[in-house]
Amino acid sequence: MRTIGLIGGMSWESTQHYYRLINEGVRDRLGGLHSAELVLVSVDFAVIERLQQAGDWDRAGASLADAACRLEAAGADCVLLCTNTMHRVADAVAGAVGIPLLHLADATAERLVAAGIGRVALLGTRYTMEQDFYRARLEASGLDVRVPDTDGRAALQSIIFDELCRGEVREQSRERVLAEIDALATGGAEAVIAGCTELTLLLDPSQVALPLFDTTAIHAESAVDFALATKAVA
């Protein structure tokens, strides 16, 4: 079994889901008392969030690249950024180590294309929805990516940072996010990407009008594939 390296803490509320899903995935495939071999570096999200706010992506990238180096030194065979937004600095992280970075957007795009989805709604932080570091990788796979309007993007940003990252799950926020999904479905979206790891704390697939693609679960599964060598990774 290969060792999985996780860069977490952004926020720790979602990182714990990565840990659970990866261990459950290994157990389900191997049976018995099997669990994943992994290494975790958990960063202080307050520091990273301040760099996001300041637009200082270079320093944020350097910080996470250092975390990746620590994972490699500890014996990790791959790196996962346990966050959608911080894939903004994925190239800096990947370039700092000699082990592969399993890119969340690539794994998600692969799953969408395999499902025959062409037009998809993307929900996440303002950075993920408005910048091209994430959307461009989805679009490179032939996907037509839609996002909420300005007010909807602002609402999602507030819900994620002011509530979900603090472990708060509010019914009125769930209703607001579901309303955004309904609007995007009316506009032609065929599926929705929960493009923020914290959104999985809020959304139950049974309540969503469209097929829901949970990036945390997809990313965790790609890590299990890698660890058990059932899938080649460049």
Side-chain angles (χ1 to χ4, degrees), residues 118-122 144-149 178-192 209-210:
R119 187 177 298 114
V120 65
L122 172 62
D144 178 1
V145 181
R146 309 291 179 88
V147 298
D149 61 18
L178 291 174
E180 294 296 335
I181 293 172
D182 289 343
L184 290 162
T186 299
E190 302 165 337
V192 60
L210 297 172

Side-chain angles (χ1 to χ4, degrees), residues 104-114 137-138 141 143 193 218:
L104 189 155
D106 292 346
T108 300
E110 182 179 333
R111 186 69 63 86
L112 286 158
V113 171
R137 293 187 83 109
L138 298 174
S141 295
L143 296 166
I193 299 172
I218 291 169

